[in-house]
Amino acid sequence: MTIEASQVQVGESDAYLARPVGAEAGPGMLLLPMITGIGEQLRDWADELAGRGITALVWDPFNGRSTDNTTRDELVS
């Protein structure tokens, strides 16, 4: 199944949206960030869900730092 994914804003917070292309409205899932923010692993999980027909929104209400641009040592300090 083809998906579309993008960074979006939910109010003042960052989010990542992955959804199946061309599918009618179906199930959805809200994913909360890990301590490492909305990193590659969490985006991959959202993409996998979208590939199975489930719209996935990863929402970071804390606007936390991510392992994409921060080392693990910096995340815990």
Side-chain angles (χ1 to χ4, degrees):
M1 178 173 286
T2 304
I3 69 166
E4 61 182 8
S6 61
Q7 295 290 127
V8 297
Q9 289 291 121
V10 176
E12 299 285 322
S13 299
D14 295 327
Y16 177 80
L17 177 65
R19 58 184 171 189
V21 173
E24 293 188 25
M29 183 177 287
L30 175 63
L31 304 171
L32 294 176
M34 297 183 287
I35 193 170
T36 55
I38 302 175
E40 181 179 1
Q41 183 180 26
L42 199 50
R43 290 191 306 271
D44 287 347
W45 288 340
D47 292 347
E48 183 176 336
L49 288 168
R52 295 172 185 250
I54 300 168
T55 297
L57 178 71
V58 183
W59 174 52
D60 187 358
F62 310 109
N63 285 327
R65 296 180 290 179
S66 167
T67 54
D68 288 346
N69 56 17
T70 308
T71 68
R72 288 191 183 274
D73 289 338
E74 291 173 316
L75 288 171
V76 297
S77 62

